[in-house]
Amino acid sequence: MTSLRPAPGPVDLSSIETDAAPGFAGKKAEGQAALAALGPELADQQERLFANRTTGSGSRVLLVLQGMDTSGKGGVLRHAVGLIDPQGVRITSFKAPTDEEKQHHFLWRIERALPEPGYVGVFDRSHYEDVLIHRVRGWADADTLEQRYAEINNFELRLVEDGCVVLKCMLHISADEQKARLQERLDNPEKHWKYNPGDLDERALWPAYREAYEIAIERTNTETAPWHVVPADKKWFRNLAIATLLLDALRGLELQWPKADFDVATEKRRLQEEDPVR
Amino acid sequence: MTSLRPAPGPVDLSSIETDAAPGFAGKKAEGQAALAALGPELADQQERLFANRTTGSGSRVLLVLQGMDTSGKGGVLRHAVGLIDPQGVRITSFKAPTDEEKQHHFLWRIERALPEPGYVGVFDRSHYEDVLIHRVRGWADADTLEQRYAEINNFELRLVEDGCVVLKCMLHISADEQKARLQERLDNPEKHWKYNPGDLDERALWPAYREAYEIAIERTNTETAPWHVVPADKKWFRNLAIATLLLDALRGLELQWPKADFDVATEKRRLQEEDPVR
């Protein structure tokens, strides 16, 4: 797959196609087959990660999912993250902060939701809301926002130093695609629960959100925790891209099966010759 | 599927076959196909549950998994719970309590891990450890254990009254099957990480654990939160049984798609005729 990392410096989202499938030659059916084909190695890699908990390794992965309403965060959870053994996955969906959360630093609730070693943590929205909706709605002033970008970079750098791969993905859809998806939610009574009249008020702020994303990505697109902008109009490509990024992240950890910290021959003898259960 | 609920009163686990597939006529291949066939309805039911969060409904499901080492709690998470959209699942694995947890009532950490409305929560081990290993190891005296059974019943009754289906499953394997599974972990270097010499010390207490399970099940086998003893020597039957129980639990909630709390026609007009994005 072609790299989805924007180059360092200013980001122009309008120059990144939303309905492309960069680096993948096939169409939907081939893309779905390619996703399914990743399953076994993803499962193997995730089990190695989980196994390494027992060695005191700090290795873990944090997948951060950001994107406009209807960009498909839920679909990624189902179809890409769903390929991994749920035993080793910890998903957190961040909503508007609670009263308790509001009384703390914006990273407080994030810290509490970080995956422990051995786990793949997934954030459905994240600390980036504090520089996205907060910027768009004017809930934070310019100085505060600048401070937050820096705090986020420090926070993520520390995470990476602690053994956590930080995989930040923006699901990039077009305004037209969002319109079609909102229409679908209105047309299908089984999807009405996903619709909220406030969604249109947010949609009205589309240009402001795009700018907020561009600035946030530019400011936090670090070498240790880079952003990936994932074309997401094609659901199958979005899922394939995220699963591929997850697999690459796990491969990059070069995880070996932990060696036994006991004498295998002794234990075999104990089990067979001294079996305590008669 | 035949009911897996032990009758009220004393429980004799030795009278419940571990390698049976009660109520299922087929063999392994048919069982695996039957499990896969549950996927779509499980997904549909779980999405209905998730959707009902938005209505203020308290409905949720808590699956409690208990069983001896190697009984397959991890396999159930992968193969049965894994059929459900991970977005709507919250898994908690309970280990030996932390120092902080030890300073609280034994239900404190349980309360904190309960699923919110709309979610399927899964406990890999649970509050039952406080009447199982605590009984076997003598960490709690008889009076304390009696008090805990009563507290558990009260706790679970309250949960059910709050809209939470409490689905308690004991994965029931034979001592011979455990021996074979421990042997497999010793034979395969990729499974050494799952083995701990202490597993054999626990195995030595097999009869005491069986008794502790029998008493715990008897004391907490309530009408509101009954136990299910799942024959678990056959992994495929174990997975099928748990998935079937989960599906039955969800069906029992009679979940409807939430009605729109907005005027659909108005929203369609807003989206099409007053689309704020130009």
Side-chain angles (χ1 to χ4, degrees):
Chain A
M1 212 172 61
T2 311
S3 171
L4 302 172
R5 288 173 56 173
V11 175
D12 175 10
L13 284 173
S14 68
S15 74
I16 303 176
E17 283 187 87
T18 56
D19 66 346
F24 190 78
K27 295 203 185 301
K28 182 174 175 180
E30 290 88 352
Q32 290 175 328
L35 175 67
L38 296 180
E41 194 188 343
L42 258 179
D44 176 76
Q45 289 285 349
Q46 179 271 330
E47 191 175 1
R48 287 169 189 253
L49 179 68
F50 199 63
N52 273 278
R53 280 180 315 153
T54 59
T55 66
S57 154
S59 295
R60 55 212 147 116
V61 174
L62 175 64
L63 170 64
V64 174
L65 295 175
Q66 284 288 159
M68 298 293 285
D69 281 343
T70 78
S71 63
K73 299 181 289 292
V76 165
L77 292 174
R78 184 178 303 119
H79 299 290
V81 176
L83 291 174
I84 305 180
D85 186 347
Q87 192 176 5
V89 176
R90 291 293 181 267
I91 297 172
T92 308
S93 296
F94 289 98
K95 309 288 179 197
T98 62
D99 286 342
E100 186 189 17
E101 287 168 351
K102 281 181 190 163
Q103 291 179 3
H104 294 272
H105 189 274
F106 76 99
L107 292 172
W108 180 76
R109 63 177 185 161
I110 304 297
E111 294 254 16
R112 289 160 57 99
L114 289 174
E116 288 177 49
Y119 286 85
V120 175
V122 186
F123 285 177
D124 170 4
R125 302 189 187 271
S126 66
H127 42 302
Y128 284 96
E129 293 298 324
D130 293 275
V131 292
L132 291 167
I133 192 170
H134 281 245
R135 177 179 202 102
V136 170
R137 295 284 186 180
W139 297 340
D141 62 25
D143 285 352
T144 305
L145 288 167
E146 287 303 327
Q147 189 183 329
R148 286 184 185 171
Y149 299 129
E151 287 176 324
I152 287 173
N153 287 337
N154 286 335
F155 169 70
E156 292 177 352
L157 176 62
R158 183 162 53 74
L159 262 181
V160 172
E161 285 172 347
D162 280 354
C164 183
V165 181
V166 179
L167 186 57
K168 304 187 292 196
C169 297
M170 186 230 175
L171 306 183
H172 183 38
I173 58 169
S174 68
D176 283 349
E177 180 66 20
Q178 185 187 59
K179 187 172 184 171
R181 294 183 185 182
L182 289 172
Q183 184 69 47
E184 201 185 334
R185 291 182 180 181
L186 287 169
D187 288 343
N188 183 349
E190 294 189 1
K191 293 194 173 181
H192 283 168
W193 66 275
K194 292 187 175 185
Y195 184 89
N196 188 314
D199 294 347
L200 277 191
D201 305 324
E202 285 289 290
R203 178 169 166 80
L205 300 168
W206 187 276
Y209 271 108
R210 187 173 57 200
E211 186 186 21
Y213 268 105
E214 288 174 342
I215 297 169
I217 292 172
E218 178 184 351
R219 292 285 204 285
T220 62
N221 194 17
T222 57
E223 196 53 46
T224 39
W227 274 97
H228 305 262
V229 176
V230 178
D233 282 0
K234 291 182 167 65
K235 294 176 181 176
W236 64 265
F237 179 76
R238 170 201 76 199
N239 296 335
L240 176 61
I242 300 283
T244 302
L245 287 167
L246 260 178
L247 183 53
D248 286 347
L250 288 162
R251 280 180 184 154
L253 291 169
E254 300 186 348
L255 297 157
Q256 305 305 312
W257 291 107
K259 290 214 188 327
D261 58 358
F262 52 85
D263 185 67
V264 177
T266 300
E267 294 303 315
K268 285 184 179 177
R269 201 199 60 239
R270 282 181 71 203
L271 180 63
Q272 289 304 331
E273 292 168 28
E274 302 160 23
D275 184 9
V277 183
R278 300 295 160 194
Chain B
M1 212 172 62
T2 310
S3 171
L4 301 172
R5 288 173 56 173
V11 175
D12 174 10
L13 285 173
S14 68
S15 75
I16 302 176
E17 283 187 90
T18 56
D19 66 347
F24 190 79
K27 295 204 187 299
K28 183 176 176 180
E30 289 89 351
Q32 290 175 328
L35 176 66
L38 296 181
E41 194 188 343
L42 258 179
D44 177 76
Q45 289 284 349
Q46 180 270 329
E47 192 175 1
R48 286 169 189 255
L49 180 67
F50 200 63
N52 273 277
R53 279 180 317 151
T54 60
T55 66
S57 155
S59 295
R60 56 213 147 115
V61 174
L62 174 64
L63 170 63
V64 174
L65 295 175
Q66 285 287 159
M68 298 292 284
D69 282 343
T70 78
S71 62
K73 298 180 290 291
V76 165
L77 293 174
R78 185 177 303 121
H79 299 290
V81 177
L83 290 174
I84 305 179
D85 185 348
Q87 191 176 5
V89 176
R90 290 294 180 265
I91 298 172
T92 308
S93 295
F94 289 98
K95 309 289 178 195
T98 62
D99 285 342
E100 185 189 17
E101 287 168 350
K102 281 182 190 164
Q103 291 179 2
H104 291 87
H105 188 274
F106 76 101
L107 292 172
W108 180 76
R109 63 176 184 161
I110 304 297
E111 294 254 17
R112 290 160 56 99
L114 289 173
E116 288 177 49
Y119 286 85
V120 176
V122 185
F123 285 177
D124 170 4
R125 303 190 186 273
S126 67
H127 42 303
Y128 283 96
E129 292 299 324
D130 294 275
V131 292
L132 292 167
I133 191 170
H134 281 245
R135 178 178 201 103
V136 170
R137 295 286 186 177
W139 297 340
D141 62 27
D143 285 352
T144 304
L145 289 167
E146 287 304 327
Q147 189 183 328
R148 287 184 185 172
Y149 299 130
E151 287 176 324
I152 287 173
N153 287 338
N154 287 334
F155 169 70
E156 292 178 353
L157 177 61
R158 183 162 53 75
L159 262 182
V160 172
E161 285 172 347
D162 281 354
C164 183
V165 181
V166 179
L167 186 57
K168 303 187 292 195
C169 297
M170 186 230 175
L171 306 183
H172 183 39
I173 58 168
S174 68
D176 283 350
E177 181 66 21
Q178 185 188 59
K179 187 172 185 171
R181 293 183 185 183
L182 289 172
Q183 184 69 48
E184 201 185 333
R185 291 182 179 181
L186 288 168
D187 288 344
N188 182 348
E190 294 189 1
K191 293 194 174 183
H192 283 168
W193 67 275
K194 292 187 175 186
Y195 184 90
N196 186 313
D199 294 347
L200 276 191
D201 305 324
E202 285 289 290
R203 178 169 166 80
L205 300 168
W206 187 276
Y209 270 107
R210 186 172 59 199
E211 186 185 21
Y213 267 105
E214 288 174 343
I215 297 169
I217 292 172
E218 178 184 352
R219 292 286 204 285
T220 62
N221 194 17
T222 58
E223 196 54 43
T224 40
W227 274 97
H228 305 263
V229 176
V230 178
D233 282 1
K234 291 182 166 64
K235 294 176 182 177
W236 64 264
F237 179 76
R238 170 201 77 198
N239 297 335
L240 176 61
I242 301 283
T244 303
L245 287 166
L246 260 179
L247 182 54
D248 287 346
L250 288 162
R251 279 180 184 155
L253 292 169
E254 300 185 350
L255 298 158
Q256 305 304 313
W257 291 107
K259 291 214 191 320
D261 57 359
F262 52 85
D263 185 67
V264 176
T266 300
E267 294 304 314
K268 285 184 180 177
R269 202 199 59 237
R270 283 182 71 204
L271 180 63
Q272 289 304 332
E273 292 167 28
E274 302 160 23
D275 183 9
V277 183
R278 299 296 161 193

